[in-house]
Amino acid sequence: LKDQFDNLDKHTQWGIDFLEKYAKFVKERIEIEQNYAKQLRNLVKKYCPKRSPKDEEPRFTSCIAFFNILNELNDYAGQREVVAEEMGHRVYGELMRYSHDLKTERKMHLQEGRKAQQYLDMCWKQMDNSKKKFERECREAEKAQQSYERLDNDTNATKADVEKAKQQLNLRTHMADENKNEYAAQLQNFNGEQHKHYYIVIPQIYKQLQEMDERRTIKLSECYKGFADSERKVIPIISKCLEGMILAAKSVDEHRDSQLVIDCFKSGFEPPGDFPFEDYSQNIYRTISDGTISTPKQEGMRIDSKTTVGKAKGKLWLFGKKPKGPALEDFSHLPPEQRRKKLQQRIDELNRELQKETDQKDALIKMKDVYEKNPQMGDPGSLQPKLTETMSNMDRLRMEIHKNEAWLSEVEGKVAARSDRRHSSDINHLVTQGRESPEGSYTDDANQEVRGPPQQHAHPNEFDDEFEDDDPLPAIGHCKALYPFDGHNEGTLAMKEGEILYIIEEDKGDGWTRARRHNGEEGYVPTSYIDVTLEKNSKGA
């Protein structure tokens, strides 16, 4: 390859170009990994739940599993970033540094080769110039010799001309001899430099270029291996991420999720009983038997069965819409089971707060003892306000806990009593006359027949002052009890399931409706426990 300098120049340049091409490939792969990791993180961020209150944290196993999968996917994205970082540092960065060094080394070797070639060309030019000069002087000497011989043979030539031609011949011969010696020296020098060039200098340069190209090939091989190792290093961690996703999938428990739904929406109410038969033919039978026309019932007390059924459907919490009302401190606006759970949660939170305050009190007492024993560390009196405040907080928390525990005991007692007291509906309501109220429902008093709004009997010890008016409030409608209500609190009215009551005051938004029994007893009942039917002309009643 002594004469293939230009081809070797092109080959080494192609090798560097190929190296840079592979570096560009690695760079684009790094960008793909980085974009992939970024898109995965954005995806996880998009579907990860925002920080929510403790009550709104996901509890279903399917949701928890999905969030665990998102966490594993976020870790997987982190491993893709590790791959990109490792490739950038170990492969791409190394390739770019080596490419720069390779270009510098190649440039140096090619410059040395060109210098050697230029020196050889210079020696050849010097030899060629001396050769041409020697050739020229030989021709001049040959011409001088021919001129001398012509004059020497010419009889007419003078002796001076012959002598002059002889001197010219001698001069040209001498110059030819000198140029011959110069040409011989230059030729010998050129041959020596040419031998040195092709057997020493150029082979050495080519050997250096060969070593450089082989190192480039070895570097590419190492980068190929590093490229694969960058991916292989994270495979164990990626496998753990995938195993975590599989474990999350296996943790889904459909029965537990169903139980959570039941616990979340369980109201504690029993399903409503059967609707009683409402005998509208009672007056007909009474007229036929008595032979008289009975006093017509008040129009305001007629029950519209369609309205009653429609309104009842809207009042059933478990099977229909939940009544909307202001949230009360004792959660009495909630169904019994949900109220019990809320009260239990509040008691647990209050107990945790009480424990914190107790720990803080103990710490303050210890610090006060230390200050008393070592006054230089602090003033014991400075801790008294904080200690007093902590004791006050503890008393307040104990009162709150006692109050909530009382409400909880009340709810648990009602739930237990309700579960033991299942009322079976009597479908045969065609009983003796006088046992049906004007609304067609069963009354406790067999001899009682109500034909209009009864008068109120005052019970000053049972109701507030507003129940002690001389003139009772007129009835503006009637209601039917959907569920039993104990009415232990002052101002409330106990009722049985299916009992008919008069409405004397509508719900004002606090969840309570004022009602009156047939015997005149008045009080408040939960609006959500009754089905209300207001009369059309209630405003003027």
Side-chain angles (χ1 to χ4, degrees), residues 403-466:
K403 180 171 62 174
N404 283 273
E405 286 178 346
W407 288 335
L408 180 61
S409 300
E410 177 186 355
V411 173
E412 290 177 345
K414 288 182 179 180
V415 171
R418 187 175 294 112
S419 62
D420 295 337
R421 188 176 65 248
R422 291 185 173 272
H423 298 280
S424 59
S425 300
D426 184 3
I427 62 174
N428 185 11
H429 291 277
L430 299 176
V431 293
T432 307
Q433 293 182 2
R435 296 283 289 177
E436 290 283 342
S437 70
E439 289 74 19
S441 61
Y442 179 78
T443 57
D444 294 334
D445 188 358
N447 298 322
Q448 181 183 10
E449 179 178 343
V450 181
R451 300 183 180 273
Q455 297 298 320
Q456 177 187 17
H457 297 282
H459 296 277
N461 296 330
E462 188 174 356
F463 302 107
D464 296 335
D465 293 339
E466 56 182 341

Side-chain angles (χ1 to χ4, degrees), residues 77-92:
Q79 294 308 307
R80 303 319 307 177
E81 292 175 346
V82 171
V83 170
E85 183 179 355
E86 184 72 12
M87 286 184 179
H89 175 72
R90 183 176 177 182
V91 182
Y92 179 72

Side-chain angles (χ1 to χ4, degrees), residues 28-45:
E28 292 181 1
R29 169 66 189 276
I30 291 172
E31 291 175 354
I32 290 174
E33 290 289 349
Q34 290 174 342
N35 292 333
Y36 180 47
K38 183 179 179 181
Q39 290 176 2
L40 285 179
R41 288 194 183 277
N42 290 337
L43 182 67
V44 171
K45 184 178 179 181

Side-chain angles (χ1 to χ4, degrees), residues 100-303:
H100 180 268
D101 297 340
L102 206 62
K103 289 179 180 179
T104 304
E105 184 180 357
R106 174 180 174 275
K107 182 179 179 181
M108 180 185 67
H109 294 325
L110 293 179
Q111 285 178 352
E112 291 177 356
R114 291 190 181 94
K115 286 180 181 179
Q117 187 64 41
Q118 289 173 0
Y119 179 72
L120 183 62
D121 292 341
M122 183 188 67
C123 293
W124 181 83
K125 287 181 180 180
Q126 290 178 354
M127 183 271 297
D128 188 60
N129 289 336
S130 62
K131 177 183 177 182
K132 289 179 180 180
K133 190 175 181 181
F134 171 61
E135 182 182 4
R136 187 172 60 251
E137 290 298 331
C138 286
R139 283 196 301 268
E140 291 295 331
E142 186 178 353
K143 289 179 181 180
Q145 185 178 1
Q146 291 176 358
S147 176
Y148 170 72
E149 289 178 353
R150 188 178 62 252
L151 288 176
D152 188 35
N153 294 329
D154 189 4
T155 56
N156 296 325
T158 62
K159 188 178 181 179
D161 291 336
V162 173
E163 213 36 61
K164 183 177 180 181
K166 186 179 181 181
Q167 289 179 0
Q168 185 68 25
L169 175 60
N170 293 331
L171 178 61
R172 288 297 177 182
T173 302
H174 179 69
M175 291 183 66
D177 291 338
E178 288 183 353
N179 284 311
K180 180 181 180 181
N181 295 332
E182 178 68 19
Y183 168 63
Q186 290 296 334
L187 180 60
Q188 183 179 4
N189 180 62
F190 172 73
N191 289 332
E193 293 296 334
Q194 182 175 256
H195 184 276
K196 180 180 178 182
H197 176 81
Y198 285 108
Y199 290 95
I200 299 176
V201 178
I202 289 299
Q204 184 177 1
I205 293 174
Y206 284 1
K207 184 179 181 181
Q208 292 173 348
L209 289 174
Q210 179 182 355
E211 292 175 353
M212 179 193 74
D213 194 63
E214 290 175 353
R215 290 199 305 273
R216 175 190 64 83
T217 307
I218 294 173
K219 179 59 69 175
L220 278 173
S221 175
E222 292 176 353
C223 290
Y224 294 159
K225 185 176 180 296
F227 184 84
D229 286 341
S230 300
E231 184 87 20
R232 187 171 59 182
K233 283 183 178 180
V234 300
I235 287 179
I237 303 178
I238 291 178
S239 298
K240 289 183 179 179
C241 294
L242 298 177
E243 289 175 2
M245 294 181 186
I246 294 174
L247 291 176
K250 292 180 179 180
S251 67
V252 176
D253 187 351
E254 67 277 9
H255 301 297
R256 182 180 176 186
D257 287 354
S258 299
Q259 188 61 40
L260 286 174
V261 174
I262 294 171
D263 294 340
C264 181
F265 297 109
K266 184 178 180 181
S267 65
F269 289 129
E270 296 180 2
D274 296 338
F275 282 94
F277 178 78
E278 299 172 355
D279 187 6
Y280 293 99
S281 62
Q282 180 183 5
N283 290 335
I284 299 175
Y285 298 149
R286 185 182 296 114
T287 301
I288 295 174
S289 61
D290 296 344
T292 59
I293 300 176
S294 61
T295 305
K297 293 188 291 184
Q298 293 184 8
E299 183 182 356
M301 294 304 295
R302 185 179 296 114
I303 298 176

Side-chain angles (χ1 to χ4, degrees), residues 329-365:
E329 183 184 6
D330 60 351
F331 301 113
S332 59
H333 62 286
L334 296 176
E337 185 66 23
Q338 299 299 321
R339 182 186 181 192
R340 183 188 64 78
K341 290 173 63 176
K342 289 289 186 181
L343 288 172
Q344 187 62 52
Q345 291 176 3
R346 181 188 286 173
I347 291 172
D348 293 340
E349 292 176 0
L350 291 173
N351 282 326
R352 286 192 292 270
E353 293 180 9
L354 179 61
Q355 185 61 40
K356 290 181 181 179
E357 294 292 337
T358 303
D359 296 340
Q360 184 175 1
K361 183 198 72 171
D362 295 340
L364 290 172
I365 291 175

